[in-house]
Amino acid sequence: EWRKNQHAKMAYGRPGRVDEVTGMVAFLASDRASYISGAMLTIDGGLVARGGGSLGTLIPLEEDEKEKV
C-alpha cells in the first residue's frame, strides 16, 4: 500500500531504474566533471518537484530488486 502511494506521487508512476541513474553517476566520476563541487543533483523522476517527497526520502528495495543493484 505504501509503495503504491509513493509510486502514484512520481511523475512516471514508478521508481527509477538503475540504467536511468548510471549515466549521471558515470559523468560525476569522470574527468569531465572535475570542476563540479558541492552540487546536489536530484535524480528522482520529478518526485520532489511534484511535492511527492523530500530529499532524503528513500523507497526500500524488495529482496529480488537488491540482486539487480
Side-chain angles (χ1 to χ4, degrees):
E1 182 71 25
W2 177 85
R3 186 179 300 272
K4 192 176 189 178
N5 289 335
Q6 288 297 311
H7 292 179
K9 296 174 186 177
M10 296 176 178
Y12 297 110
R14 63 173 175 78
R17 297 185 315 264
V18 171
D19 63 292
E20 294 173 313
V21 177
T22 55
M24 182 57 68
V25 172
F27 170 72
L28 291 172
S30 75
D31 289 340
R32 294 180 69 194
S34 63
Y35 202 67
I36 295 175
S37 174
M40 180 182 292
L41 302 171
T42 304
I43 305 171
D44 68 354
L47 181 65
V48 173
R50 294 183 71 201
S54 63
L55 297 176
T57 301
L58 299 177
I59 298 173
L61 295 174
E62 298 290 339
E63 286 303 317
D64 62 326
E65 295 172 323
K66 291 178 183 177
E67 296 173 6
K68 297 175 187 176
V69 177

